[in-house]
Amino acid sequence: MVEKKVSAENINYFYGGNQALRDVSLGVPAHSVTVFFGPAGGGKTTLLRLINRLNDMVENTRMTGRILLDNKNIYDEDVDVAILRRRVGMVFALPLPLPGTIRENVTYGLKLAGMRDGHRIAEILEKSLVQAAIWDEIKDRLDSPASSLSGGQQQRLCIARSLALEPEVLLLDEPTSGLDPISTRKVEDSLQELKQLYTIIIVPHSIQQAARVADQAAFFLMGDLIEYRPGTEIFTTPRDKRTEDYITGRFG
Amino acid sequence: MARDTFEKELATLENSLLDLGNIVDLSIVEAVEILRKQDVAAAKRLIIGDAEINRRRFAIEADTLVLIARQQPMARDLRTLAAVLEIATELERIADYSKGNARIAVKLGTKPPLKPLVDIPRMARRGSEMLRNALMSYTRRDVQMARAIAAQDCEIDALYDQIYRELMTYVISDPRNIEDASQLMWCAHNLERTADRVVNICERVVFTVTGDMIELDDPDDCLDGDEPT
């Protein structure tokens, strides 16, 4: 049996009176790229956020069900959210580099986590930037302001910043929505490398991107998980008519 | 994806495919009629006309690739375009068989025929009818119809066996008949292959609609049919 790194079990989620997820269960295999896709308001980003407890502080919400990371419920009382978020990193749609240099952006989290070993920090800096496919472009200007980078570079810097903390799971919420095709392709290519080391869950910005990167893909519609199958099948021969209608542009 | 644009461009593409289908369909019977009437001039015209069929096939391929690149279709739309590419190729190959039969007409020329042609024209008519119906099953997206047409291949195979055996008796009775008989065997063979290509088209119809890649030409299916013994 394939090892499930993350599992959602019977997740129901409510924003006030609105149900955003309805009895959703799925398992995310380790070392693969899993795609959550579907029209806006389908629940895909909500589920992504629940995996590192980003919705904890959102008022007037309620969740039932369990989310397991290595078979341990991340919503158990004894779970330290700060540690969870080191294990489960997240990259958002808009790159948000911190004020400061490229180097500081990547090493800030390490220093915050108490790391003082300069050699080790330099090692992780380079490794993270290499993994995020940006090292060659910026290695000679690590002390330039992060804000001087292009949008595509900033997004890859943010991915490197997440990778520096060596998470086990990487969550990406439309990470290339503002990027040009070349930067998009670089990020997508780096995902294929990164999955060797991490478990990746991505909400793509288009169906075409979903088809390009998915090892498996889950289609969400109005809070329901409609279909969850290998990427090689769902985009050519979807089983559910609603998936078919969505990916062929008949609605959404 | 802009559905209106996609559907409009797909409709144009499918019209070109059906136009090609009509030309190819006519060529099947025409080539055999030319052979029967020993009309060498018409045979040469058909051979030259094959270039136009090739041109149309490449135009369909180019238009399909443009549509894929511009609209990035998925699911059934993608399968449809894969089917268009495949069907255009099959049609072009069928036309090559017709061209092959026209070449046989040129080779046999106007010398007295070995025998009056009866079963070969019958085979051509059946093949042409199968192709027409297969293209109709494509436009209607009718899986049941596609399967039924594919099943008719047994009849073509049986006709081929019968023609082959009959021509062999001519060779056995007088070995000097071997050259003409073998030309006619090739003609029947081309028609048998034509029907096989039609079966491939039927398989593409099933794939377009259901997503299932299946073989429809299982020879075992023929054993239950009315194959002559």
Side-chain angles (χ1 to χ4, degrees):
Chain A
M1 207 178 90
V2 182
E3 184 201 342
K4 297 283 186 280
K5 185 68 186 176
V6 178
S7 297
E9 291 184 348
N10 308 105
I11 299 293
N12 287 283
Y13 193 80
F14 302 85
Y15 289 101
N18 292 332
Q19 187 160 5
L21 289 169
R22 201 173 288 108
D23 200 31
V24 168
S25 298
L26 59 79
V28 173
H31 302 301
S32 65
V33 177
T34 301
V35 161
F36 295 169
F37 75 105
K44 55 194 193 294
T45 299
T46 298
L47 183 59
L48 197 72
R49 291 169 64 87
L50 291 177
I51 297 172
N52 78 346
R53 293 185 54 170
L54 271 184
N55 276 19
D56 280 12
M57 308 298 281
V58 182
E59 285 181 15
N60 204 17
T61 61
R62 185 163 60 86
M63 185 186 105
T64 63
R66 306 195 306 162
I67 292 179
L68 309 178
L69 176 64
D70 289 334
N71 295 317
K72 163 81 177 159
N73 187 358
I74 63 169
Y75 283 86
D76 280 351
E77 282 183 7
D78 61 349
V79 170
D80 180 331
V81 177
I83 292 173
L84 170 73
R85 288 185 188 151
R86 282 198 59 174
R87 295 181 63 196
V88 181
M90 183 141 181
V91 176
F92 298 93
L94 282 176
L96 295 167
L98 301 166
T101 64
I102 294 167
R103 185 193 306 276
E104 285 164 350
N105 261 271
V106 180
T107 58
Y108 176 74
L110 297 170
K111 289 178 180 164
L112 203 64
M115 190 177 284
R116 294 288 176 267
D117 179 346
H119 273 300
R120 180 80 186 115
I121 289 175
E123 250 175 49
I124 294 177
L125 171 70
E126 179 173 344
K127 192 180 101 183
S128 311
L129 291 168
V130 168
Q131 286 177 346
I134 191 178
W135 172 253
D136 288 340
E137 292 163 53
I138 58 161
K139 62 185 176 197
D140 300 324
R141 49 180 175 131
L142 293 173
D143 294 310
S144 307
S147 56
S148 67
L149 298 176
S150 72
Q153 289 171 330
Q154 286 185 13
Q155 187 60 295
R156 281 176 285 146
L157 178 67
C158 290
I159 293 173
R161 190 172 63 197
S162 293
L163 297 177
L165 291 171
E166 300 184 319
E168 296 160 42
V169 179
L170 190 60
L171 308 175
L172 301 145
D173 187 7
E174 303 194 9
T176 60
S177 59
L179 305 190
D180 64 273
I182 294 169
S183 299
T184 297
R185 196 44 78 109
K186 281 186 178 163
V187 171
E188 289 175 4
D189 286 347
S190 65
L191 294 183
Q192 299 307 317
E193 298 290 322
L194 293 173
K195 74 177 182 186
Q196 315 294 331
L197 301 166
Y198 309 99
T199 299
I200 295 168
I201 306 176
I202 177 171
V203 171
H205 78 264
S206 68
I207 300 163
Q208 284 72 27
Q209 179 171 60
R212 285 195 296 268
V213 302
D215 288 315
Q216 51 277 324
F219 174 58
F220 289 87
L221 180 65
M222 295 192 301
D224 290 308
L225 171 59
I226 304 296
E227 193 168 344
Y228 180 42
R229 291 171 57 219
T232 49
E233 295 172 12
I234 197 166
F235 300 107
T236 54
T237 49
R239 284 200 190 130
D240 194 289
K241 188 173 181 309
R242 290 165 294 181
T243 317
E244 168 97 32
D245 286 350
Y246 179 67
I247 66 180
T248 55
R250 286 182 167 80
F251 69 80
Chain B
M1 183 172 63
R3 269 232 71 89
D4 285 355
T5 310
F6 176 77
E7 278 175 3
K8 218 178 283 170
E9 291 182 10
L10 177 63
T12 308
L13 186 62
E14 288 184 327
N15 280 337
S16 307
L17 185 73
L18 295 177
D19 283 347
L20 176 62
N22 280 334
I23 298 170
V24 172
D25 171 23
L26 292 174
S27 78
I28 301 171
V29 174
E30 195 188 342
V32 170
E33 274 303 291
I34 284 169
L35 181 66
R36 194 176 64 81
K37 291 180 183 161
Q38 299 188 319
D39 186 344
V40 175
K44 287 179 177 165
R45 280 198 299 276
L46 194 149
I47 292 165
I48 292 167
D50 188 58
E52 168 64 11
I53 289 173
N54 294 347
R55 190 198 63 74
R56 283 177 184 248
R57 175 252 168 135
F58 288 130
I60 289 169
E61 195 170 329
D63 290 348
T64 308
L65 292 178
V66 169
L67 194 50
I68 290 172
R70 286 161 69 104
Q71 299 288 336
Q72 303 185 359
M74 295 232 182
R76 189 166 172 161
D77 296 335
L78 183 58
R79 299 199 303 271
T80 300
L81 293 182
V84 168
L85 285 178
E86 194 74 26
I87 292 172
T89 307
E90 298 294 357
L91 289 173
E92 195 252 343
R93 295 282 154 76
I94 291 173
D96 285 343
Y97 294 129
S98 297
K99 184 169 76 173
N101 285 346
R103 283 204 174 118
I104 289 169
V106 173
K107 266 188 200 153
L108 292 178
T110 51
K111 63 183 169 182
L114 180 67
K115 65 184 278 299
L117 297 186
V118 178
D119 285 332
I120 285 179
R122 219 169 105 203
M123 223 176 149
R125 283 195 302 274
R126 292 294 291 130
S128 149
E129 192 183 312
M130 279 173 73
L131 175 59
R132 225 167 22 249
N133 289 334
L135 292 173
M136 198 183 290
S137 78
Y138 172 78
T139 51
R140 292 179 182 172
R141 304 291 192 269
D142 188 335
V143 170
Q144 219 173 352
M145 188 178 182
R147 284 177 174 278
I149 296 157
Q152 293 166 9
D153 187 40
C154 295
E155 197 186 320
I156 297 281
D157 289 347
L159 269 172
Y160 176 56
D161 286 345
Q162 185 183 316
I163 291 165
Y164 190 91
R165 281 197 300 262
E166 192 189 350
L167 289 168
M168 277 307 281
T169 59
Y170 278 88
V171 175
I172 292 163
S173 64
D174 183 352
R176 281 174 302 177
N177 289 332
I178 191 159
E179 196 181 332
D180 288 5
S182 78
Q183 291 298 334
L184 293 177
M185 280 174 187
W186 270 114
C187 175
H189 176 78
N190 285 338
L191 293 168
E192 191 266 334
R193 293 296 298 142
T194 293
D196 288 344
R197 299 279 177 184
V198 175
V199 172
N200 292 346
I201 293 174
C202 294
E203 287 171 358
R204 290 293 120 185
V205 174
V206 174
F207 173 68
T208 301
V209 178
T210 65
D212 298 329
M213 286 200 196
I214 49 159
E215 292 268 3
L216 290 178
D217 63 346
D218 185 353
D220 291 344
D221 291 346
C222 293
L223 299 177
D224 306 327
D226 44 42
E227 188 183 28
T229 51

